Amino acid sequence: MTLYLAVIIILSYLALIKCIFFRHRRTLVKSLKRALNAPSSRETNGENIRALVVTAHPDDECMFFAPTIIRLIELNATVNLLCLSEGNYYNQGAQRKKELLNSCAVLGIPASRIIIINHKKLPDDPKAEWSVSLVSSEILKHIRAHSINMVLTFDGSGVSGHANHIAIYNAVRYRKDFKDFYCTLLSLVTVGLLRKYISFLDVPLSWFLPSCVCCIIGSKPYKQAKAAMLCHRTQLLWFRYLYITFSRYMFINTFQTIAQGPKNLKIY
């Protein structure tokens, strides 16, 4: 009897996941419209979205943001990527830059929409304190250049707790004039360790818990995300394969709106 109930529960849970995948596309379009404050009556698949995904290192784009990038491109949005370092922590910057370009090609971002920063004050180093002012200036420069209306980056926990990830969030949060460009600012939600590594089984939780935007991909786009990750050959240590298999960020991204920070913050 207990086994029978367990099977019923598992099948019901999988059926729920299937139902969520079926409804996801329409819901995603509506949530993107709300995030951009676009008129609900306007018919669009996403072609009015000009997104800038801001990352710290090569491989961030597929490790953490692949579901979002894939879904936005499917909706005919214009997706740009700003990577704030070459990932030169182990003196592999040149190789990692090539890997990033290959990964983005798999995800669907052309080289003309990829910006990779190589600045001595923005080293790939978890112990380095990136300048909030410098990072925000770089982001603002590309918002202006490409008429960006949606910025997507890390939240205050940086998903993995990496200091460079968190620096980007701080730069976006505390720079007031981003709002002057009518640009929606979204941060990728960091989840707890258990949810982080239950793969697609986290779909119902991500779907029903409050979020501004929720991006979910199925098996075929997952293979695309996996192929993008495999482009980063210098990073493919044994635990990366576990990450590719079990991380919910390979299937699901949830975002919250970035609120403005305090006015009296010292910007360095």
Side-chain angles (χ1 to χ4, degrees):
M1 186 66 177
T2 303
L3 179 60
Y4 177 77
L5 287 174
V7 171
I8 292 297
I9 291 171
I10 292 171
L11 291 177
S12 299
Y13 194 80
L14 293 176
L16 175 61
I17 293 174
K18 185 176 181 179
C19 180
I20 291 171
F21 276 118
F22 181 76
R23 295 181 55 192
H24 174 253
R25 181 183 176 91
R26 182 178 298 179
T27 304
L28 176 59
V29 172
K30 289 181 179 179
S31 63
L32 288 169
K33 284 181 179 180
R34 286 196 299 269
L36 289 170
N37 294 316
S40 58
S41 60
R42 183 183 298 172
E43 292 296 328
T44 180
N45 287 327
E47 62 270 14
N48 296 323
I49 297 173
R50 298 177 299 280
L52 179 66
V53 179
V54 185
T55 63
H57 319 103
D59 77 9
D60 288 349
E61 79 291 339
C62 52
M63 281 188 69
F64 306 116
F65 295 95
T68 302
I69 293 170
I70 291 170
R71 283 302 188 201
L72 287 176
I73 290 173
E74 284 180 354
L75 294 173
N76 297 317
T78 300
V79 179
N80 298 269
L81 177 73
L82 173 61
C83 184
L84 289 165
S85 80
E86 290 186 340
N88 200 38
Y89 188 64
Y90 293 108
N91 297 314
Q92 297 174 317
Q95 180 62 29
R96 295 195 68 187
K97 182 176 178 179
K98 293 177 183 177
E99 292 171 350
L100 174 60
L101 294 173
N102 292 335
S103 170
C104 286
V106 172
L107 292 173
I109 306 176
S112 59
R113 294 181 186 159
I114 302 168
I115 307 99
I116 305 172
I117 304 298
N118 181 21
H119 196 293
K120 63 181 181 180
K121 292 186 177 181
L122 299 175
D124 171 15
D125 187 343
K127 297 179 181 179
E129 187 175 7
W130 282 8
S131 163
V132 169
S133 177
L134 176 58
V135 172
S136 61
S137 295
E138 288 290 343
I139 297 171
L140 191 60
K141 181 196 305 182
H142 296 290
I143 289 176
R144 288 171 172 161
H146 302 285
S147 301
I148 298 298
N149 59 11
M150 178 178 287
V151 172
L152 305 106
T153 192
F154 298 100
D155 69 1
S157 297
V159 179
S160 62
H162 198 296
N164 299 163
H165 298 178
I166 297 169
I168 302 174
Y169 169 78
N170 290 334
V172 173
R173 183 183 179 193
Y174 296 121
R175 181 75 181 248
K176 300 295 185 289
D177 47 358
F178 283 117
K179 298 291 184 181
D180 297 339
F181 292 88
Y182 303 100
C183 187
T184 297
L185 309 174
L186 299 176
S187 60
L188 181 65
V189 174
T190 298
V191 300
L193 192 63
L194 176 61
R195 287 185 60 197
K196 185 176 180 179
Y197 291 110
I198 58 173
S199 189
F200 65 88
L201 296 177
D202 189 57
V203 166
L205 284 172
S206 297
W207 180 262
F208 290 112
L209 289 174
S211 64
C212 178
V213 173
C214 178
C215 296
I216 304 170
I217 57 174
S219 58
K220 186 175 180 180
Y222 165 72
K223 291 178 182 178
Q224 183 181 355
K226 179 179 178 180
M229 187 62 207
L230 293 177
C231 290
H232 293 279
R233 295 181 180 276
T234 60
Q235 306 305 300
L236 293 179
L237 302 175
W238 66 269
F239 56 85
R240 295 290 189 197
Y241 291 98
L242 295 177
Y243 183 93
I244 291 170
T245 303
F246 294 107
S247 174
R248 56 90 74 176
Y249 290 97
M250 296 294 291
F251 290 91
I252 313 155
N253 288 160
T254 47
F255 292 88
Q256 298 289 3
T257 302
I258 298 177
Q260 288 187 329
K263 296 180 180 180
N264 61 350
L265 183 79
K266 182 179 179 181
I267 302 298
Y268 55 91

